[in-house]
Amino acid sequence: MLNNANGSMLKKLRSPLYLALLIPALLVCVGDWFAPMDHSFRNMRSKLDRYDAPADIVVVSVGHADSSRDTTVVSSRKLSDVLTGISRQMPYRVFIDAPVEFGLDVDGDRQLLEAIGNFGRDAALVVRNKRFIIEDSDFRSTDFNMPVPAIAGSVPIVVSSWYTNFFDYAISSPYEVTLAGKRYPTLASTLAGVPHGLFAKFVPDNRVDPDTIRTVPASAILMGNFTPGLLTGRTVIVSLEGTVPPIGYYGSGRREPIAVDIAGAVALRKPMAVYLGGIPVLVASWLLILAGSRARRKRRKAAIYALSLAVIPGLPLLAEPVGITLQPSAALFCAMIYGFSRLWQHRIRREQLTNASGLPNLMALGASQLNIGCDVVVAVIARYEEILATLPKDLHGECARQIARRLSVGSGIETVFNGEGGHFAWTEEARPLEMQLDHLEGLRALFSAPLEIGSHKFDTNIHFGLDRNEGLDALTRVNSAVASANDAMASGRAVELFEADRLAEASWELSLHARIDEGLRNGEIWLAYQTQWDMKTRRPSGVEALIRWSHPTRGPIAPDAFILQAERAGRIDALTYWVLNEAITAGLALNTMGFPLQMSINLSAQMVDKAELVPSILDIVQRRGFDPRQMTIEVTETSSVRNRPAAVSNLSRLRDRGFKLSIDDFGTGEASLAYLADLPSDELKLDRRFVSRILSHDRDHKIVSNTITMAHALGQSVVAEGIEDEATFRLLSSMGCDVGQGYHLGRPQPFSDLCQTLLKMGHVQTGIV
């Protein structure tokens, strides 16, 4: 009973209706995911139905012309003159929003203090934050241009502090800010006379048109050139523009912060100043969607759905005049999830239940609940597309129906599912494997007789895929059986059984390129370094960087196994450039230690003809400060390259820049000689299959000897891979081979072990114990 209840609840939670509620609600709770959508809504809303700024607030704008030192401050003398002129007009109160150049003019400073003192408690200093603060962050004292003590001690201080979004648009402000343990009211709350609210923050009313804010230049105050009574009984803000960066004002772009302060004051004067976010609109819209989903009549359902959409922008618009701020984006996302989910369900149902043959398709079988103790069988008809191409289109359905009838009669089943490409699927009661295979062989015999479709006759060849893994879901089992049927057809077998361990391996292979990225991040993929030895001096002359993968559960993975997958997935470029960077790091470290060895890396044949190859390699080498002459690029023959001339051109350009070019695995590719003729390379690497048999096979001995002679005649040096013993080393040295590489000389090892090996060899050489 409890399991049934849990299953029913889980099914309900996965339905489009409840997903449409839970996903937006979760996104609202865990972060501001809907900020971009809300930003667009507020910006558009603020451009509509605008009204004028309040007439009881006047801004007196102070210019910069009097200050030769700093355009972000005003001289104390000029500010005192402006305040004296304002005081004669009997304002209601004055806010000084202009940083003062204090301490340079003693008389001006004294006059300023007297002018401020004349206002008594009707004056206040405005302090602004110097940088934008993301919402829910803390304000710090260092974020504000605090006034000098001489001024701060004589007049109250208010702060202008706005939280912004990622576009630097003002979205909210606290009623007060605590700095160095002292509380300061904000300018907007002081202008509105509302020191506290139901919530800690409030939102500005961006419908206030900032262009309608009454502004008077300070020069007009000094000259008396303004309308009499303009300042009388009003709140005056003496402002110096440009002291802090402009802030985003919804609907009006970047503005001086004073405009946002006035918009905040207007918002606080409304009956309520409440920010409720997106949850109320989300719940209201979802309840209407719920009601619409339960409505039986189509017209009523459509009307309720339309109302649920109208509520999304309508509710915030209705709540705005009384001071309640609501965000519509979560509700809009809810409606989108529900709408797209219902459309997707409708599409799935239509695809599952409609088919040219009138039969349900494989998606319907994959979406069904399979009975316990059943096998999933998929039959595939060879050359089915050719059969359909031969038939008129109106007979395609008849062809599928005839095949389904034979399968139905032979298996005693009622429903056969028809998929694309000649696939037919059904479920049967599980039998012992041998019996099931015999049964499928019997079904195959039913198709020995040709199909007769209209006037056409076709011989048919049928193959079966069988899935017996009851622990898997239906869709996985159907796909497994389809894959097995395709394999059976490709290999010519009658039946292919899909094993569970094969499914696990398929998952690994299909996600290999993502696992490669993870391996690079966590250090599972690393570089081993194998020394290359000068055959004459018997000393290391270079190292080859070899990529390795040590997987925590699968153990060491052969490079060929994942490099091929990286090439198929288009990730070989990133892997190669990672190897180049790591090899350069090792090379620079070796140079510092006093071992300037030649560093070799391998280049995939898939990259050699790409236009961005040379600029990318040069950028890395130049940025890292590595000498290209110390880098050898090993390339294989390029018969698989689409644009061979471009490949040769790229490699030649790299060689011209100082890189050494090596033809890797020489002699194993069908185009090696042609490649040698085209490319001005520096060395040949003899493949280990030749080197390993020069002691025992005369033919291989002659091939290696003649190759060394030919390479030297072409001005190439020769590197022999796969040297496993001293005798091979000595024979190659006598042939004139230049460089040797193999387990006898040194195994691939981590860089730290390589350093220890080189240091030990250096000590022995210099006689240091």
Side-chain angles (χ1 to χ4, degrees):
M1 182 76 70
L2 184 60
N3 289 336
N4 290 338
N6 290 337
S8 177
M9 178 61 69
L10 183 60
K11 183 177 181 180
K12 179 178 290 187
L13 292 177
R14 290 190 302 183
S15 68
L17 182 63
Y18 286 90
L19 285 177
L21 174 66
L22 293 177
I23 294 177
L26 181 62
L27 292 177
V28 168
C29 293
V30 301
D32 200 11
W33 290 92
F34 299 110
M37 297 172 65
D38 288 328
H39 173 89
S40 300
F41 176 81
R42 288 183 64 178
N43 201 51
M44 179 176 61
R45 173 68 187 94
S46 299
K47 294 180 180 180
L48 304 174
D49 190 23
R50 311 205 88 174
Y51 52 81
D52 292 345
D56 62 334
I57 298 177
V58 181
V59 175
V60 175
S61 178
V62 182
H64 309 299
D66 62 316
S67 176
S68 60
R69 301 170 60 89
D70 191 349
T71 60
T72 61
V73 295
V74 62
S75 68
S76 56
R77 185 179 298 275
K78 178 175 181 178
L79 184 57
S80 67
D81 292 342
V82 173
L83 292 177
T84 301
I86 292 174
S87 65
R88 298 192 187 102
Q89 303 301 314
M90 302 297 290
Y92 172 60
R93 53 186 173 178
V94 175
F95 292 91
I96 305 171
D97 183 20
V100 184
E101 191 177 45
F102 200 84
L104 298 180
D105 183 350
V106 176
D107 291 338
D109 296 345
R110 178 181 52 78
Q111 294 174 14
L112 175 62
L113 293 177
E114 291 177 357
I116 294 175
N118 291 336
F119 289 104
R121 303 298 297 178
D122 294 332
L125 287 179
V126 179
V127 177
R128 296 193 175 276
N129 54 314
K130 296 179 289 186
R131 65 185 183 93
F132 299 129
I133 306 295
I134 300 298
E135 193 167 21
D136 298 327
S137 301
D138 294 327
F139 292 101
R140 301 190 300 266
S141 298
T142 54
D143 295 330
F144 294 84
N145 291 311
M146 301 302 291
V148 296
I151 301 179
S154 62
V155 66
I157 295 177
V158 298
V159 298
S160 173
S161 52
W162 289 95
Y163 294 116
T164 62
N165 60 13
F166 49 88
F167 293 118
D168 293 334
Y169 271 65
I171 52 177
S172 66
S173 172
Y175 286 85
E176 60 182 23
V177 175
T178 301
L179 301 176
K182 187 175 181 180
R183 294 181 177 179
Y184 297 95
T186 55
L187 175 58
S189 64
T190 306
L191 287 172
V194 182
H196 304 287
L198 183 62
F199 295 90
K201 296 176 293 188
F202 59 89
V203 177
D205 186 350
N206 295 113
R207 290 191 300 160
V208 176
D209 187 351
D211 293 328
T212 62
I213 296 175
R214 296 194 176 191
T215 304
V216 180
S219 58
I221 300 295
L222 297 175
M223 298 174 62
N225 185 21
F226 62 94
T227 304
L230 177 64
L231 306 183
T232 304
R234 289 181 168 85
T235 296
V236 178
I237 303 174
V238 181
S239 176
L240 176 65
E241 295 183 358
T243 58
V244 294
I247 194 170
Y249 188 106
Y250 283 106
S252 299
R254 304 285 172 178
R255 295 284 180 160
E256 287 292 320
I258 186 64
V260 186
D261 293 316
I262 294 174
V266 172
L268 290 175
R269 291 175 179 179
K270 295 180 180 180
M272 302 177 68
V274 179
Y275 176 77
L276 298 181
I279 294 296
V281 186
L282 171 63
V283 172
S285 178
W286 183 81
L287 289 175
L288 287 170
I289 292 175
L290 175 63
S293 67
R294 294 180 176 179
R296 295 185 177 180
R297 296 182 179 180
K298 289 185 178 182
R299 289 186 178 180
R300 181 178 179 84
K301 184 187 292 287
I304 296 176
Y305 283 156
L307 181 60
S308 70
L309 292 176
V311 160
I312 296 174
L315 201 56
L317 295 179
L318 292 174
E320 191 174 47
V322 297
I324 299 176
T325 302
L326 300 172
Q327 301 292 5
S329 298
L332 179 61
F333 193 59
C334 166
M336 291 170 60
I337 292 176
Y338 183 74
F340 283 124
S341 298
R342 290 303 302 269
L343 289 174
W344 179 256
Q345 282 186 338
H346 179 71
R347 178 177 178 271
I348 292 298
R349 290 194 187 101
R350 184 179 60 189
E351 290 183 352
Q352 288 178 351
L353 300 177
T354 59
N355 194 289
S357 62
L359 301 171
N361 61 24
L362 300 189
M363 292 183 64
L365 178 58
S368 64
Q369 186 71 35
L370 300 184
N371 296 327
I372 297 175
C374 73
D375 290 345
V376 176
V377 185
V378 171
V380 59
I381 305 297
R383 304 177 66 182
Y384 186 75
E385 297 294 343
E386 294 183 35
I387 294 175
L388 294 185
T390 306
L391 290 172
K393 187 174 182 180
D394 58 349
L395 292 179
H396 288 185
E398 176 62 23
C399 178
R401 287 190 292 271
Q402 283 203 29
I403 295 172
R405 279 196 294 270
R406 291 196 187 188
L407 295 172
S408 179
V409 171
S411 296
I413 54 175
E414 294 183 0
T415 305
V416 175
F417 299 82
N418 178 208
E420 299 292 333
H423 292 90
F424 296 83
W426 67 96
T427 59
E428 291 187 3
E429 181 181 355
R431 306 179 178 91
L433 182 57
E434 290 299 325
M435 292 181 61
Q436 187 67 284
L437 294 177
D438 290 341
H439 165 64
L440 295 177
E441 284 288 353
L443 279 180
R444 201 177 191 209
L446 288 177
F447 286 84
S448 59
L451 289 174
E452 295 187 9
I453 314 296
S455 60
H456 302 269
K457 288 187 178 182
F458 301 99
D459 292 329
T460 52
N461 188 9
I462 191 169
H463 304 268
F464 299 95
L466 178 62
D467 181 277
R468 300 170 67 86
N469 301 298
E470 290 190 24
L472 304 176
D473 62 272
L475 182 58
T476 300
R477 296 188 64 185
V478 171
N479 289 333
S480 301
V482 169
S484 298
N486 291 337
D487 287 349
M489 182 170 63
S491 61
R493 292 190 296 272
V495 183
E496 181 75 26
L497 177 64
F498 194 93
E499 302 289 354
D501 57 351
R502 176 184 168 187
L503 184 63
E505 193 65 24
S507 174
W508 163 263
E509 293 179 357
L510 292 172
S511 62
L512 188 59
H513 62 281
R515 298 177 191 270
I516 289 175
D517 289 342
E518 183 179 357
L520 290 174
R521 288 193 300 269
N522 59 28
E524 296 171 12
I525 297 178
W526 53 284
L527 290 187
Y529 298 89
Q530 186 175 27
T531 52
Q532 297 175 333
W533 291 62
D534 188 301
M535 302 286 276
K536 295 179 180 178
T537 64
R538 293 186 68 96
R539 301 291 298 170
S541 60
V543 291
E544 181 179 2
L546 302 168
I547 194 166
R548 296 290 185 264
W549 190 353
S550 301
H551 195 270
T553 58
R554 301 174 72 92
I557 301 175
D560 291 345
F562 65 88
I563 289 177
L564 179 61
Q565 292 292 333
E567 290 179 336
R568 290 175 177 173
R571 305 305 300 273
I572 193 62
D573 297 47
L575 198 61
T576 300
Y577 296 137
W578 177 84
V579 169
L580 177 59
N581 265 300
E582 292 294 306
I584 288 176
T585 299
L588 292 173
L590 291 175
N591 290 342
T592 303
M593 294 171 59
F595 299 107
L597 301 179
Q598 192 72 16
M599 181 66 65
S600 297
I601 66 167
N602 291 280
L603 183 63
S604 169
Q606 282 200 358
M607 296 180 61
V608 293
D609 62 348
K610 293 187 176 180
E612 66 272 15
L613 174 69
V614 175
S616 298
I617 291 180
L618 292 178
D619 176 68
I620 294 172
V621 172
Q622 292 170 1
R623 178 164 37 85
R624 299 296 305 278
F626 193 72
D627 188 351
R629 292 173 296 181
Q630 278 188 264
M631 179 68 66
T632 298
I633 297 177
E634 299 183 7
V635 291
T636 56
E637 52 85 14
T638 57
S639 61
S640 60
V641 177
R642 294 181 180 178
N643 191 341
R644 185 183 179 88
V648 173
S649 173
N650 280 344
L651 297 175
S652 298
R653 289 169 60 195
L654 288 174
R655 187 171 184 269
D656 292 341
R657 291 300 185 98
F659 294 91
K660 288 183 64 177
L661 295 184
S662 175
I663 300 178
D664 196 13
D665 299 333
F666 182 78
T668 60
E670 62 182 2
S672 291
L673 287 175
Y675 195 19
L676 180 61
D678 291 341
L679 184 68
S681 57
D682 299 285
E683 72 177 26
L684 303 182
K685 292 194 75 173
L686 293 173
D687 188 74
R688 65 184 68 250
R689 73 186 68 181
F690 298 113
V691 173
S692 64
R693 300 192 300 182
I694 61 174
L695 294 174
S696 56
H697 292 73
D698 183 62
R699 181 180 293 271
D700 291 296
H701 179 283
K702 291 180 179 179
I703 290 174
V704 171
S705 177
N706 290 330
T707 300
I708 294 174
T709 301
M710 177 188 66
H712 286 166
L714 295 173
Q716 313 284 300
S717 60
V718 179
V719 180
E721 293 183 300
I723 300 177
E724 308 296 335
D725 51 59
E726 180 67 19
T728 302
F729 180 88
R730 291 181 181 275
L731 180 55
L732 285 167
S733 181
S734 66
M735 292 179 179
C737 185
D738 302 289
V739 179
Q741 182 178 347
Y743 281 8
H744 175 63
L745 301 173
R747 291 175 175 268
Q749 55 189 323
F751 182 70
S752 58
D753 294 346
L754 172 67
C755 294
Q756 292 299 321
T757 300
L758 294 174
L759 288 171
K760 183 177 180 181
M761 292 176 58
H763 291 170
V764 172
Q765 184 184 28
T766 57
I768 301 173
V769 180

